[in-house]
């Protein structure tokens, strides 16, 4: 063991020990600790030239106290970060929402899961939130009653609170205003607020917002809610007995998936839902007769809502029917209801739940449910997207008809809306963004929210919302407890057991640029 001094730049390192029993590389490692110059960059002058990593010390003639010269640049010294680590819980609440990747849950105020799940699904619609932001306290139209105005304000404020909070939110103000507007949601049983039907809550909230969020100077057909959720239907009404036939148009906010033992998939149920029988007076027969009503979609919404008709009445209860299907001893049949029946609620003893498993897709194509005129308008946008998809796959542009369901393609998110004019509608974007790009509908929709029910009746059990975030991940909103879920588990909520089963599905349209 000998000691030497090493001159490096302006520094002189004294009494550096050399273990001559070890190769020079060990000595270079010592110098690295002292100077920060990596061994591969060190150039040390010794007898005969530069010191090599595997040289033999005995042949180099290094003596005690000898001064060696080293050249080389040191690695940059690591600097301490200007800011220390910041934990999510230390961020401002608005930034915590961004970091977490989803909005807050909602406290259950006592059998209010039906309301919480409805709010979480509707809150996922950015265009609806944008419309609510522009709605002011003083902006109430003379056509909007005070209770509707207050419910719209409460909805806006609750959506805003959910966006800014990571901690669960108590929707007390919203619930109070909802009960004031629709007293049925304030029903008590033994002094406790009763569970209610989430579909009824969904319908009433959208109806209120449709009245409040009409564009200034616009007709009813151009209100914001109808632009987002309105589905234009054209129907053929035919009496086989008299041969009478007529057509009619109407606007609805959801499609019904009618469930029977023969229906195993959403698409089949939708086809059943577009056909119905009704009894009305026949001018030619001079009496009531049965008519067959067959409907087709003639205008597409940005957000397509589908209700699974799972709840029905006991025939022997002899009460007004809220649900569209009942069961008797001879099988399944459809029952048309009056508008007044929408406001009736079943008792715990009278309602039943159909647990039939009905599969639904992540991607829904409703092209074959559209009218002939609308199909013609859909063909060009669908073909354009198939060609673009083919180019991505290195294939030649397809010459097949756009009506083929075997050529489904990936398309951008919808920003369009139905024209609401009764004419076949390919929606164009009203919120096209900086590029001001307008878009056409394609008839293809992506699943973005599912409202499920677990239990034996609409006015009991438990409701949960499953919502797709902008990042693509799914969040299960079980009241105040948001839980991340896998996309492949979402389609398992199709019924057939005691697990959560889909009651309402919301799909977002795919569009193509004009």
């Amino acid at each position: 063991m000998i000691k030497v001094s090493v001159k490096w730049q302006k520094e002189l390192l004294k009494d550096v020990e050399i273990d001559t029993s070890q190769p020079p590389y060990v000595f270079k490692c010592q110098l690295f600790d002292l100077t920060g110059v990596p061994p591969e960059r060190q150039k040390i002058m010794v007898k005969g030239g530069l010191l090599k990593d595997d040289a033999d010390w005995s042949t180099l003639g290094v003596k005690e106290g000898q001064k060696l010269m080293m050249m080389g640049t040191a690695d940059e010294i690591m600097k301490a970060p200007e800011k220390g680590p910041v934990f999510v819980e230390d961020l401002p609440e608005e930034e915590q929402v961004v970091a977490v990747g989803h909005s807050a849950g909602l406290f259950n105020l006592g059998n209010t899961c039906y309301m919480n799940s409805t709010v979480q699904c509707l809150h996922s619609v950015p265009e609806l939130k944008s419309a609510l932001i522009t709605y002011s306290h003083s902006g109430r139209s003379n056509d909007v009653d005070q209770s509707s105005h207050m419910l719209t304000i409460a909805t806006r404020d609750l959506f805003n609170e959910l966006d800014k909070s990571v901690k669960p939110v108590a929707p007390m103000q919203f619930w109070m205003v909802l009960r004031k507007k629709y007293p049925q949601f304030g029903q008590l049983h033994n002094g406790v607020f009763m569970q209610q039907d989430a579909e009824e809550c969904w319908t009433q909230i959208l109806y209120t917002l449709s009245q409040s969020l009409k564009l200034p100077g616009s007709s009813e057909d151009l209100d914001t809610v109808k632009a987002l959720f309105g589905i234009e239907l054209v129907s053929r009404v035919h009496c086989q007995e008299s041969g009478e036939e007529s057509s009619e148009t109407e606007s609805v906010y959801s499609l019904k998936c009618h469930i029977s033992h023969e229906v195993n998939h959403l698409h089949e149920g939708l086809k059943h839902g577009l056909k119905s029988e009704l009894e009305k007076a026949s001018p030619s027969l001079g009496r009531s007769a049965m008519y067959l009503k067959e409907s087709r979609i003639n205008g597409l919404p940005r957000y397509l809502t589908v209700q699974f008709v799972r709840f029905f009445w006991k025939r022997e209860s002899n009460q007004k029917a809220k649900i569209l299907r009942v069961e008797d001893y001879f099988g399944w049949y459809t029952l048309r209801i009056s508008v007044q029946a929408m406001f009736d609620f079943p008792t715990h003893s009278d309602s039943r739940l159909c647990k039939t498993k009905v599969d639904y897709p992540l991607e829904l194509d409703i092209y074959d449910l559209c009218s002939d005129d609308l199909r013609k308008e859909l063909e060009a946008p669908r073909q354009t997207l198939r060609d673009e998809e083919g180019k991505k796959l290195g294939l030649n542009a397809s010459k097949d008809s756009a009506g083929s369901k075997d050529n489904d393609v990936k398309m951008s998110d919808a920003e369009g809306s139905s024209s609401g004019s009764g004419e076949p509608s390919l929606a164009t974007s009203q919120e096209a963004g900086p590029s001001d790009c307008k878009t056409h509908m394609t008839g293809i929709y992506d699943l973005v929210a599912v409202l499920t029910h677990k239990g034996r009746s609409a006015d009991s059990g438990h409701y949960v919302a499953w919502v797709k975030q902008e990042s693509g991940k799914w969040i299960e909103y079980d009241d105040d407890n948001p839980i991340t879920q896998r996309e492949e588990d979402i389609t398992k909520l199709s019924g057939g057991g005691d697990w959560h089963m889909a009651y309402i599905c919301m799909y977002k349209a795919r569009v193509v640029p004009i």
Side-chain angles (χ1 to χ4, degrees), residues 166-430:
V166 289
K167 298 177 181 178
V169 173
M172 182 61 71
Q173 180 65 25
F174 179 85
W175 188 38
M176 291 173 58
V177 176
L178 179 67
R179 283 182 289 145
K180 185 175 181 179
K181 173 65 178 175
Y182 299 107
Q184 65 265 33
F185 296 122
Q187 289 179 326
L188 295 171
H189 180 69
N190 295 330
V192 179
F193 285 105
M194 294 175 59
Q195 177 70 283
Q196 301 292 342
D197 186 348
E199 189 273 333
E200 184 73 18
C201 182
W202 183 300
T203 299
Q204 301 292 32
I205 291 175
L206 279 188
Y207 174 76
T208 299
L209 296 180
S210 71
Q211 300 303 301
S212 303
L213 299 179
K214 291 180 182 178
L215 300 175
S218 69
S219 65
E220 182 181 356
D221 288 342
L222 295 177
D223 71 71
T224 302
V225 173
K226 189 170 185 178
L228 292 173
F229 301 98
I231 307 164
E232 301 297 327
L233 297 180
V234 57
S235 303
R236 171 180 174 267
V237 183
H238 175 72
C239 178
Q240 188 172 3
E241 185 178 0
S242 66
E244 297 170 271
E245 184 173 314
S246 62
S247 62
E248 59 185 50
T249 60
E250 60 182 316
S251 178
V252 298
Y253 289 106
S254 67
L255 295 180
K256 308 296 183 183
C257 175
H258 285 251
I259 301 173
S260 70
H261 294 303
E262 292 78 29
V263 173
N264 298 311
H265 193 273
L266 171 61
H267 206 274
E268 298 169 352
L270 292 177
K271 285 184 177 180
H272 282 274
L274 292 174
K275 294 182 179 181
S276 59
E277 287 186 347
L278 63 155
E279 184 178 357
K280 67 175 186 174
S282 169
S284 62
L285 296 177
R287 56 176 172 80
S288 295
M290 295 302 299
Y291 287 76
L292 176 64
K293 181 179 181 180
E294 297 180 287
S295 301
R296 286 290 179 266
I297 300 171
N298 205 43
L300 299 174
R302 301 184 203 179
Y303 293 87
L304 177 68
T305 304
V306 176
Q307 181 205 353
F308 292 81
V309 186
R310 291 192 178 277
F311 300 104
F312 57 98
W313 290 95
K314 289 182 180 178
R315 185 184 179 99
E316 60 270 21
S317 65
N318 195 30
Q319 296 186 8
K320 284 184 180 180
K322 171 181 180 291
I323 309 305
L324 300 181
R325 189 167 61 82
V326 298
E327 181 185 28
D328 66 2
Y329 296 105
F330 304 100
W332 302 90
Y333 63 92
T334 339
L335 177 66
R336 295 193 58 83
I337 61 172
S338 64
V339 175
Q340 289 82 358
M342 293 177 61
F343 298 95
D344 296 326
F345 286 88
T347 64
H348 289 280
S349 60
D350 289 327
S351 60
R352 288 184 180 179
L353 168 65
C354 173
K355 294 187 176 182
T356 303
K357 181 178 180 181
V358 179
D359 293 321
Y360 56 90
L362 293 172
E363 177 186 299
L364 178 65
D365 190 345
I366 60 172
Y367 177 84
D368 63 331
L369 303 180
C370 297
S371 65
D372 291 340
D373 290 338
L374 181 54
R375 287 188 194 183
K376 291 177 182 177
E377 293 195 40
L378 290 173
E379 286 178 0
R382 291 165 68 91
Q383 187 62 48
T384 299
L385 262 296
R386 271 194 291 272
D387 291 342
E388 289 184 4
E389 188 70 9
K391 291 177 183 178
K392 292 179 182 179
L393 299 174
L395 303 175
N396 293 327
S398 170
K399 296 182 181 180
D400 295 336
S401 168
S404 172
K405 293 196 298 180
D406 297 330
N407 294 320
D408 288 342
V409 295
K410 298 294 180 183
M411 306 178 195
S412 59
D413 286 341
E415 296 294 343
S417 68
S418 170
S419 69
S421 63
E423 297 298 321
S425 167
L426 285 182
T428 56
S429 173
Q430 295 180 354

Side-chain angles (χ1 to χ4, degrees), residues 100-129:
V100 171
H102 60 79
S103 56
L106 290 165
F107 282 116
N108 192 317
L109 304 178
N111 287 330
T112 58
C113 59
Y114 70 93
M115 179 186 75
N116 291 349
S117 55
T118 297
V119 167
Q120 292 289 9
C121 289
L122 295 178
H123 174 255
S124 70
V125 179
E127 297 92 339
L128 182 59
K129 289 194 287 186

Side-chain angles (χ1 to χ4, degrees), residues 447-461:
L447 185 67
V448 291
V450 181
L451 191 153
T452 61
H453 180 270
K454 183 179 181 181
R456 295 187 177 275
S457 68
D459 59 346
S460 65

Side-chain angles (χ1 to χ4, degrees), residues 133-149:
I133 289 173
T134 61
Y135 186 83
S136 63
H137 286 276
S138 59
R140 179 166 70 97
S141 168
N142 293 331
D143 297 331
V144 179
D145 63 89
Q146 181 65 18
S147 59
S148 296
H149 172 65

